[in-house]
Amino acid sequence: MQLRPNDNALACGTGLAEPRPINDQGIAEISAAGTHTWVRGRLLWLNNTAIGGNKFNFSGQSNHVAFKGAMLTKCRMEIQGSNNSVDIGKGTRLRQASIFIKGKDNRLIIHEDCVITAKIELIGDNCLLEIGQGTNIRSTFLATFENDSRIVIGKGCLFSEGIDIRTGDSHSIFDSEGARVNHAKPIIIGDHVWLGRNVTVLKGVQIGEGSIVGTCALVTKNLGSKVLAVGAPAKVVRENIGWSGRLVNHSDDLKVLS
């Protein structure tokens, strides 16, 4: 783990209450439940900093990383630049995730109770990548390219494998007069959106809450709420749909959609 050079900070605490001394000998009084909580917190801290196989490499100044109460396993995080921040919420689990940030004033926010296996890149200045509470992301590439880019993903989303979401093209395209024509654009994905395997979401797209995008779809334009879209380019084939992250019996159908 490398933190250099000046005032970079890695806050990997437990996010859990510690036993409090109650007398001048420093003897603490905690219940059995409190002891369990404290031990669990210490195990989280040990996993994230020593035995979890994580690698951290910071260069620059005033970079801040906080993952109190989260669990990271076999993750790699590299930050180059200044005043960048990573905040990972309590109960979130990152496994074999790769995070690369280059520039200044960039923010990565992953809220509570998420499960993430992804490659994440923020390249530029003042970029934002935010993932809502309870979202599950598997083997996905998420990237904000260029200054002021942003990707915002809502709560309770489900992303399958091989998904590609990026705000820019990584390379420049010019018209006949030499003016660039492929500037970055934000991507907004609403709450409770399900993206199937190998979906690609292009820059400038918004996907409404509760929608499903089918396997291998290419999303080039905005999709509304509670729609099913498939194909390349993706087209809406059904409206007013709902979905659940668990398999249900026919008798439970109306309960799921209500």
Side-chain angles (χ1 to χ4, degrees):
M1 177 168 61
Q2 295 180 316
L3 304 179
R4 66 179 195 271
N6 292 327
D7 55 347
N8 297 307
L10 179 66
C12 48
T14 64
L16 304 171
E18 303 229 4
R20 183 178 60 183
I22 60 173
N23 58 31
D24 56 5
Q25 284 79 41
I27 298 174
E29 181 180 359
I30 55 176
S31 65
T35 302
H36 173 77
T37 299
W38 183 81
V39 170
R40 177 178 176 272
R42 280 290 171 247
L43 289 174
L44 273 176
W45 175 85
L46 186 63
N47 176 83
N48 291 338
T49 58
I51 64 174
N54 301 305
K55 296 181 180 179
F56 303 97
N57 187 0
F58 300 167
S59 60
Q61 298 180 347
S62 301
N63 297 302
H64 176 78
V65 175
F67 43 87
K68 295 183 178 180
M71 177 175 284
L72 282 66
T73 306
K74 296 182 179 179
C75 295
R76 179 179 178 85
M77 185 182 301
E78 181 174 358
I79 299 178
Q80 301 175 9
S82 61
N83 201 36
N84 299 293
S85 65
V86 177
D87 291 286
I88 303 174
K90 184 177 179 180
T92 285
R93 290 176 290 160
L94 272 67
R95 181 174 178 82
Q96 296 181 329
S98 171
I99 297 171
F100 177 70
I101 299 175
K102 183 177 182 180
K104 63 181 180 179
D105 300 315
N106 297 302
R107 292 178 296 153
L108 171 60
I109 304 171
I110 303 175
H111 289 276
E112 297 83 359
D113 302 318
C114 295
V115 179
I116 309 289
T117 302
K119 181 179 181 182
I120 297 173
E121 295 185 0
L122 288 81
I123 299 177
D125 298 336
N126 196 38
C127 297
L128 169 67
L129 201 160
E130 182 171 7
I131 299 173
Q133 181 179 5
T135 286
N136 189 323
I137 296 178
R138 301 180 59 190
S139 302
T140 292
F141 180 53
L142 300 168
T144 61
F145 293 127
E146 299 183 39
N147 298 347
D148 304 309
S149 296
R150 63 190 176 110
I151 294 174
V152 178
I153 298 168
K155 301 176 183 178
C157 293
L158 179 61
F159 291 5
S160 187
E161 299 176 347
I163 293 170
D164 190 290
I165 302 173
R166 61 181 80 192
T167 61
D169 302 319
S170 305
H171 304 284
S172 299
I173 301 175
F174 303 95
D175 63 17
S176 59
E177 297 179 353
R180 189 178 169 200
V181 297
N182 65 329
H183 296 285
K185 297 179 182 178
I187 296 172
I188 310 295
I189 297 175
D191 296 342
H192 195 59
V193 169
W194 179 4
L195 301 184
R197 187 187 299 265
N198 297 328
V199 165
T200 298
V201 180
L202 297 188
K203 61 185 182 181
V205 164
Q206 297 186 31
I207 301 177
E209 65 177 24
S211 289
I212 303 172
V213 181
T215 299
C216 296
L218 174 64
V219 186
T220 61
K221 297 181 179 179
N222 293 349
L223 298 175
S225 299
K226 297 183 179 181
V227 300
L228 170 61
V230 299
K235 295 182 179 180
V236 174
V237 295
R238 191 161 185 175
E239 298 179 344
N240 298 318
I241 56 97
W243 65 272
S244 170
R246 62 184 179 86
L247 186 64
V248 299
N249 297 320
H250 292 297
S251 60
D252 294 327
D253 285 351
L254 292 180
K255 296 179 184 178
V256 171
L257 296 176
S258 62

